[in-house]
Amino acid sequence: MPKVAPIDQRKADHIKINLEQDVRSGLTTGLEDYQFIHEALPELDLNRIDTTLELFDKQLAAPILISSMTGGTAEAETLNMRLAEAAQELNIAMGVGSQRAALEHPEQAVTFQVRRVAPNIMLFANIGAVQLNYGYTVDHCRRAVDMIQADALILHLNPLQEAVQDAGDTNFAGLAQKIEEVCKQIEVPVIGKEVGWGISERTARILSDCGVSAIDVAGAGGTSWSQVEMHRAPDEFTRQLAATFVGWGIPTAKSILNVRKAAPDMTILASGGLKDGLDIAKCIALGATLGGMAGPFLKAAAISAEKVIEIIKLTKRQIEVTMFACGVERLDGLALRLQGVAEG
Ligand SMILES: Cc1cc2nc3c(=O)[nH]c(=O)nc-3n(C[C@H](O)[C@H](O)[C@H](O)COP(=O)(O)O)c2cc1C
């Protein structure tokens, strides 16, 4: 067996490890430092709370995103179809996992092509930005978007994940200029996204200058990709290297504030360790447009589409009850109702 696993083996390992091992970051999201102000007399009808929003010219029923996860294997196809079916049923947004496998092996495209069950959802294509330093061009990005008829393209940024894995793609030099080129030439909005270590002010400024339309902060506090890589390390050296970074990264709450400060007009997608609709509501209050979850949806999709629907319904209800109990009828009212616990 070659030392470096082929992409589809890697994808299968990722799903198995995420389902079976504890891969949580040593950090928390920072959202626990905030709470909403409770209103005993909200003067609202819970059944009239409005969680709808518009993003990239599409209307969504709630600010919930099924974060980019998978594709490339038969198991991944099943998961993608369940996630997409649920997203279509409740009109929320979804991303597919990195499409590199399908760009290199076109017969795998079908495992990402969820439009057959989700013709209307807000759908995000996904490629690792670093591939632009390993032969990928704007044309590859365009093919990824066309492959799944996506509404936008996510370029994910995962320097630490690449650095702690055996033979990762670690040349991130000069990448900003290539991201800028993609933003200029491609026909859909581009989203810059971390994978679980968050976004600094400096990175937010660079991405903004590149011309991305949104940033998904994917902050620390949830799935840790160094922990995932630790579990699939081929030797002790790699295992210890990956294990070092369990407490690394910028928590999700701080990452949102970083982007707001560095690029005040940037559309922010929040993810990284969000566990329910209350966490999503806090992210909206801090300045995000959507809140994404990966791990929780993966576990539901491993069971059934119905289980994913159940989780989305519960998450939406948690957002509605949060809004009701702090006296706001629309999402844009949440910002004024959040306070730091220390201020409380
Ligand atoms: C099984 C799995 C696979 C993932 N694959 C990708 C990927 O291909 N591209 C990407 O941008 N992010 C990927 N992610 C990262 C998530 O989109 C998300 O940013 C991160 O897991 C943090 O969210 P969480 O704490 O809710 O899991 C993956 C996450 C999981 C759990």
Side-chain angles (χ1 to χ4, degrees):
M1 199 178 108
K3 200 173 171 210
V4 181
I7 302 178
D8 48 354
Q9 180 60 50
R10 202 153 71 212
K11 289 283 139 192
D13 287 350
H14 285 163
I15 291 172
K16 191 170 156 52
I17 291 167
N18 271 285
L19 286 173
E20 294 176 5
Q21 306 285 346
D22 181 1
V23 292
R24 277 172 303 178
S25 165
L27 300 178
T28 59
T29 59
L31 293 170
E32 67 280 6
D33 294 339
Y34 296 89
Q35 65 188 13
F36 285 106
I37 303 164
H38 173 69
E39 294 299 342
L41 188 58
E43 293 278 19
L44 292 173
D45 175 351
L46 175 58
N47 292 320
R48 293 178 63 97
I49 297 290
D50 180 4
T51 61
T52 61
L53 72 145
E54 197 182 297
L55 177 65
F56 303 146
D57 297 328
K58 261 192 180 169
Q59 193 78 14
L60 306 179
I64 305 169
L65 166 67
I66 298 175
S67 290
S68 315
M69 277 186 280
T70 199
T73 63
E75 184 195 14
E77 180 176 2
T78 304
L79 295 171
N80 269 341
M81 291 305 144
R82 288 175 180 169
L83 293 167
E85 205 181 310
Q88 173 73 23
E89 167 105 8
L90 295 163
N91 189 22
I92 64 157
M94 168 180 171
V96 298
S98 168
Q99 291 165 259
R100 186 175 157 205
L103 287 172
E104 288 165 24
H105 304 279
E107 70 281 4
Q108 292 182 13
V110 67
T111 67
F112 294 90
Q113 286 166 335
V114 300
R115 283 287 186 217
R116 58 192 194 267
V117 297
N120 308 116
I121 62 168
M122 163 73 62
L123 183 62
F124 300 146
N126 192 295
I127 291 186
V130 73
Q131 295 311 318
L132 296 168
N133 269 354
Y134 290 83
Y136 276 35
T137 60
V138 177
D139 182 54
H140 290 82
C141 297
R142 206 171 269 133
R143 279 163 46 203
V145 170
D146 292 347
M147 182 193 299
I148 62 164
Q149 297 163 267
D151 298 290
L153 170 69
I154 288 176
L155 290 178
H156 72 253
L157 300 159
N158 62 341
L160 186 53
Q161 185 192 5
E162 297 290 347
V164 299
Q165 68 180 268
D166 190 39
D169 294 328
T170 50
N171 178 13
F172 276 67
L175 212 47
Q177 200 191 337
K178 293 180 181 171
I179 294 173
E180 185 177 349
E181 221 34 60
V182 175
C183 293
K184 277 195 184 129
Q185 292 189 38
I186 204 157
E187 296 71 21
V188 295
V190 174
I191 302 166
K193 172 182 179 297
E194 237 291 343
V195 300
W197 288 293
I199 299 286
S200 68
E201 282 183 44
R202 175 174 177 264
T203 295
R205 216 169 286 120
I206 295 173
L207 286 172
S208 173
D209 290 346
C210 287
V212 302
S213 300
I215 295 176
D216 184 335
V217 300
T223 306
S224 160
W225 280 90
S226 52
Q227 288 299 97
V228 177
E229 294 301 338
M230 179 188 81
H231 283 290
R232 56 181 290 274
D235 53 49
E236 187 54 21
F237 178 94
T238 314
R239 198 195 70 75
Q240 279 193 34
L241 179 64
T244 313
F245 296 93
V246 64
W248 185 270
I250 305 169
T252 299
K254 176 75 172 119
S255 295
I256 296 171
L257 298 179
N258 285 345
V259 179
R260 266 184 61 182
K261 188 154 177 222
D265 298 328
M266 181 63 67
T267 297
I268 301 172
L269 312 185
S271 68
L274 310 189
K275 57 185 185 315
D276 54 31
L278 175 54
D279 276 353
I280 292 178
K282 287 182 181 179
C283 292
I284 306 292
L286 289 173
T289 298
L290 297 183
M293 300 192 286
F297 281 125
L298 178 68
K299 291 184 176 85
I303 299 168
S304 64
E306 289 67 36
K307 190 73 196 168
V308 183
I309 289 173
E310 226 174 84
I311 301 257
I312 299 170
K313 281 187 175 163
L314 175 61
T315 307
K316 182 163 180 269
R317 196 59 170 170
Q318 288 163 335
I319 297 170
E320 288 164 351
V321 172
T322 300
M323 292 166 71
F324 176 64
C326 67
V328 304
E329 201 159 20
R330 292 190 48 84
L331 292 167
D332 55 14
L334 282 170
L336 293 172
R337 311 302 304 157
L338 193 72
Q339 63 182 5
V341 172
E343 303 159 31

